[in-house]
Amino acid sequence: MTNIAGDDSTQMLVLTLIFALASLLHGISGLGATLVTTTALASMYPLPYAIVLVIFPSLVVNIMTWLAGGERSVWQNFIYYGRRYWLLALTSLLGSILGAKLLLWVDSAYILLMLAAVIGFYVTSSMLGKQIRLPDTKPMLIAVGFGAGVIGGSTNAMSTILMMYLLSASDDKNTIAKVGNMCYFLGKVAQIIVLREPIMALSSGEWQLIALLSVISIVTLLVGIRLRRYLPQARFRQLILVILTVLGLRVGWQGVMAFL
């Protein structure tokens, strides 16, 4: 396990800037925080370690998204949306458990290539302005939930697959956001369960860093949400796509080089 606490302050500054920028852009545009931070860190550290560093800041951002918009608490949201989408939540949880285990079982080069491929698909479909809609059927729900969970558990890119189904199942933006975040939350729980040993092996310095990154994520997310009404969201969405393209190419190159 890499120990950042023992590294120089420049590395900590880079991490701080990555999380601050990703959360700020997420607050403005409504997307990108987890995927940007994971992909950026995957180009700096082993992928399992990058996932561990991102888990808790992402969990905090996830909970804040649950609390935003509406009068229900986190638990009330779980009950309300869980009644209709419990099968999607269950299959995504099971898929996330398998996906997180892949981090421990499979050569990270394969997972880096999968992450690069998912980012490539996401960026291409977004730039073309095409939303792929899937049939709203139970077999499709199970397949998408499990597939999104596997990809989310191993790469933190669950939303790229899950959104294709949710956009087909509902036209309500609030429902799409809440159900999506319910599945993301369960995915993080699955990662914590499966990766408990590397998480428990973190040093006190690393826990302090994760706490700092979580606070920075909260503050910059709130700033971004405040700025949302004044700034063009479309422009910042394009900026996130450019950032993801660069990071995706770098991660893909790392995956290819690992085979050579």
Side-chain angles (χ1 to χ4, degrees):
M1 193 50 91
T2 306
N3 191 338
I4 295 176
D7 296 341
D8 57 37
S9 56
T10 302
Q11 198 168 9
M12 294 182 67
L13 178 61
V14 170
L15 286 174
T16 301
L17 290 175
I18 288 172
F19 277 81
L21 176 62
S23 297
L24 179 67
L25 292 176
H26 188 100
I28 295 171
S29 67
L31 56 86
T34 301
L35 199 52
V36 168
T37 51
T38 301
T39 314
L41 267 62
S43 65
M44 300 166 59
Y45 307 109
L47 186 57
Y49 186 65
I51 294 288
V52 166
L53 286 180
V54 172
I55 285 176
F56 293 99
S58 295
L59 197 59
V60 170
V61 170
N62 186 253
I63 292 173
M64 288 187 65
T65 304
W66 266 75
L67 292 173
E71 300 176 353
R72 300 185 189 92
S73 67
V74 173
W75 178 247
Q76 288 172 331
N77 273 320
F78 254 108
I79 298 297
Y80 182 80
Y81 293 104
R83 285 174 180 168
R84 180 177 176 186
Y85 292 97
W86 68 269
L87 187 57
L88 182 67
L90 176 62
T91 52
S92 66
L93 173 62
L94 295 175
S96 295
I97 291 173
L98 175 59
K101 284 185 177 294
L102 290 179
L103 287 168
L104 305 175
W105 294 344
V106 178
D107 189 322
S108 61
Y110 292 100
I111 301 180
L112 286 174
L113 290 176
M114 180 168 69
L115 175 57
V118 171
I119 289 173
F121 167 79
Y122 176 73
V123 170
T124 301
S125 60
S126 297
M127 286 185 169
L128 293 176
K130 294 180 179 179
Q131 293 289 357
I132 299 175
R133 293 178 177 265
L134 302 173
D136 184 13
T137 63
K138 187 167 290 187
M140 182 59 67
L141 180 151
I142 294 172
V144 170
F146 189 76
V150 171
I151 291 174
S154 57
T155 67
N156 274 346
M158 180 187 287
S159 61
T160 56
I161 307 299
L162 197 61
M163 281 299 122
M164 290 191 295
Y165 174 78
L166 289 176
L167 287 168
S168 306
S170 176
D171 292 323
D172 180 28
K173 290 184 178 181
N174 193 54
T175 296
I176 292 171
K178 297 297 184 184
V179 174
N181 274 280
M182 177 172 64
C183 295
Y184 308 152
F185 179 85
L186 292 173
K188 291 287 163 272
V189 172
Q191 287 178 328
I192 291 171
I193 292 171
V194 175
L195 301 174
R196 60 188 178 279
E197 288 188 10
I199 289 174
M200 295 302 293
L202 292 171
S203 67
S204 59
E206 288 168 315
W207 278 114
Q208 289 172 11
L209 175 64
I210 288 173
L212 173 64
L213 295 176
S214 298
V215 172
I216 289 171
S217 296
I218 293 172
V219 172
T220 51
L221 178 74
L222 292 174
V223 171
I225 291 173
R226 278 291 183 90
L227 293 175
R228 185 182 295 177
R229 69 185 73 176
Y230 306 111
L231 300 173
Q233 294 183 38
R235 191 64 58 86
F236 285 92
R237 285 174 178 263
Q238 292 171 354
L239 177 59
I240 288 176
L241 293 178
V242 171
I243 293 171
L244 283 174
T245 299
V246 174
L247 293 174
L249 289 172
R250 183 173 178 179
V251 166
W253 178 251
Q254 281 182 275
V256 171
M257 292 303 293
F259 288 108
L260 302 179

